[in-house]
Structure formats: C-alpha cells, structure tokens
Amino acid sequence: MVRIDEDKCIACEVCLPFCPMGAIHLNDIASIDQEECVECAICVRAAVCPVDAFVREAAPYPRSVRAVFSDPTIVHEGTGITGRGTEEMKTNEVTGRFKPGFVGVGLEFGRPGIGTRFRDVQTVATAVAKAGAEFEPKNPVTQLMKDTKSGLLKDEILDEKAMSAIIECLVPVDKLKELLTRVQEAAQHVDTVFSVECITRVAPDDTLPIDKILSEMGITRRINGKTNVGLGRPLLEGGAN
Ligand code: SF4
Ligand code: SF4
C-alpha cells in the first residue's frame, strides 16, 4: 500500500500530475484515495516529492493483487516475467500455442489511464467462456479464476482495481464470430475500456483466416502489434507460417 506521511507533506502539489489514476488529492495536505489507487508506485518511483513523504508498505491479500497488475517492476509468480500477460503477448510465440485452425485472443483492460476493476474483467471473461474459449493457464488473470470453465474470478478480488489486466484465451477459428459477438455485448456492461487482439497464423497463400469473419462483422483489422508466431518455437512441430 502506498500512502503519504501527513507529518512530512508540505502541500506543494508537485506529485499530483504523476498519478495516472488521479488518486492523489490535496486539501490541507496531500492524501491518496485508496479505493482508486492501483498501487502502481509511479508516485514513489518518480521521486519528485521534496520531503520524501511517500511511504510504500506491503499490502495484504486481496489488495496485493493491485500492485501485481499495476507495477511493471513486479515479476508475476505465474509467468516469471514482469507485465500483465505471458511472453507470447509481447514478443515471440515461445510455446507453440497458436496452432493452425485456432485464434489467440487477448483482451486488454484499463488502458490508457482508466484502470479496471476485476469485476469488469470477469464480465468479459464469462462472455468469452460461453463461446468455448480456453483460458491460458499461465496468464495472471486465469490464475485469479475460481473456475476456468466459466471464467468466474475469486469473489474477494472483484472490487480490487488495477492499472490494467489481460485475458488470454484460445478459440477455434469457427468460434471467433460468436466470441466477438459475446464480447461486444459484454462491453455494454463494463465501466472501463478494453481492446481486443486476435493472433492467428498466416495461411500458406498469405491470407489471414480471420479476415473474412472480421469483414462480415464490420470490424476493421488494425495491425497495431505483432507476435512473431513461430520464431521462438522450441516446442512447435511442422514449421511456422
Ligand atoms: S501508487 Fe499509483 S495510483 Fe496510487 S497514488 Fe501512487 S501513482 Fe497514484
Ligand atoms: S510532492 Fe510530497 S510534499 Fe508535495 S504534495 Fe506531494 S506528498 Fe506533499
């Protein structure tokens, strides 16, 4: 938990713009709205306070999940790396997860600058579960589920807030339309923003098997990021496309 030592604060206001959640408020002195704070520790790492008034203390579970999902310096126990997803989500595919006929779907919540309650993550997770999605076991959100078939998260973390969280799952190509339709419906019931990423192997004729589905749904594909499927494929047989 991050707090401000009220005996030290001189109300200089310097720290206020450094909080991405707008959780630092100034009355006679500065204080942190602990409901909105996601424990990212940017205010601490920025080291702008002239009197060193920020104090960081270990938070008990379930509040401790805030820092795990918000502070990029913390290594996840489940993934062994920093950040909110597995390595496949940020660099090269390393485990052969994305096989022909399947689409990897990533749902990234809370960015930019809004954050997300895990209750909203659950709303979308249960929607994709109904479409037959298989959640990635090493993903940090999956590890907070009490039931990976339904996508339900542990009750005690639902009101916790994080800077961001990522669902990672896999569906057969022929289930993608149903999954995206359910996600669009679920989006009407969440109080945050999220983006949807589809990861698929390029067919031998250089087409993408998901393009027809996206086109039929009126969704414009944007190549905002790329996962180099197959380049890190020590476990993948049959070569990469
Ligand atoms: S830990 Fe992050 S969210 Fe909390 S007050 Fe500091 S900058 Fe804001
Ligand atoms: S920078 Fe330090 S002294 Fe200034 S308002 Fe923030 S906590 Fe108080």
Side-chain angles (χ1 to χ4, degrees):
M1 181 175 285
V2 178
R3 63 180 178 83
I4 293 171
D5 185 336
E6 59 188 36
D7 294 328
K8 286 186 175 179
C9 178
I10 56 172
C12 70
E13 303 186 22
V14 168
C15 60
L16 269 61
F18 284 83
C19 177
M21 294 295 115
I24 305 175
H25 301 293
L26 193 73
N27 293 311
D28 294 335
I29 56 169
S31 62
I32 295 174
D33 180 343
Q34 296 296 342
E35 267 306 297
E36 297 304 320
C37 172
V38 293
E39 307 273 350
C40 65
I42 289 174
C43 53
V44 179
R45 292 197 306 278
V48 294
C49 178
V51 293
D52 200 19
F54 283 90
V55 179
R56 191 172 196 194
E57 299 159 334
Y61 179 81
R63 189 176 177 92
S64 56
V65 302
R66 296 189 183 217
V68 175
F69 281 83
S70 306
D71 182 343
T73 68
I74 293 180
V75 174
H76 280 274
E77 280 183 28
T79 61
I81 58 174
T82 59
R84 302 138 299 125
T86 58
E87 208 165 352
E88 274 83 351
M89 295 302 292
K90 54 175 65 173
T91 56
N92 298 323
E93 188 202 33
V94 292
T95 62
R97 187 193 304 173
F98 306 116
K99 295 178 173 56
F102 286 84
V103 184
V105 178
L107 300 128
E108 184 163 354
F109 295 79
R111 292 203 304 184
I114 293 179
T116 184
R117 301 277 171 189
F118 283 96
R119 189 176 298 283
D120 287 333
V121 176
Q122 174 177 267
T123 296
V124 179
T126 52
V128 301
K130 284 177 183 156
E134 186 182 314
F135 295 104
E136 165 54 38
K138 287 186 177 173
N139 171 271
V141 169
T142 305
Q143 292 170 5
L144 291 178
M145 290 179 182
K146 63 182 180 185
D147 176 10
T148 55
K149 292 290 180 212
S150 65
L152 288 171
L153 303 185
K154 295 174 182 173
D155 297 335
E156 66 271 22
I157 60 132
L158 294 178
D159 289 328
E160 297 297 337
K161 183 180 179 185
M163 178 96 81
S164 180
I166 301 177
I167 293 171
E168 294 174 68
C169 58
L170 201 61
V171 283
V173 173
D174 62 7
K175 297 287 278 183
L176 181 64
K177 185 172 184 179
E178 180 187 346
L179 182 144
L180 293 176
T181 302
R182 289 186 181 275
V183 166
Q184 286 175 325
E185 205 279 323
Q188 309 303 313
H189 305 287
V190 298
D191 188 22
T192 184
V193 295
F194 67 90
S195 58
V196 182
E197 302 146 10
C198 295
I199 305 165
T200 184
R201 293 161 69 93
V202 179
D205 63 357
D206 286 343
T207 60
L208 283 176
I210 62 172
D211 271 354
K212 186 166 179 286
I213 298 166
L214 297 182
S215 171
E216 285 173 1
M217 296 184 72
I219 297 173
T220 302
R221 169 167 62 82
R222 298 191 184 95
I223 306 179
N224 290 345
K226 68 173 169 55
T227 297
N228 295 318
V229 175
L231 291 186
R233 52 182 168 78
L235 304 178
L236 186 63
E237 294 179 0
N241 292 311

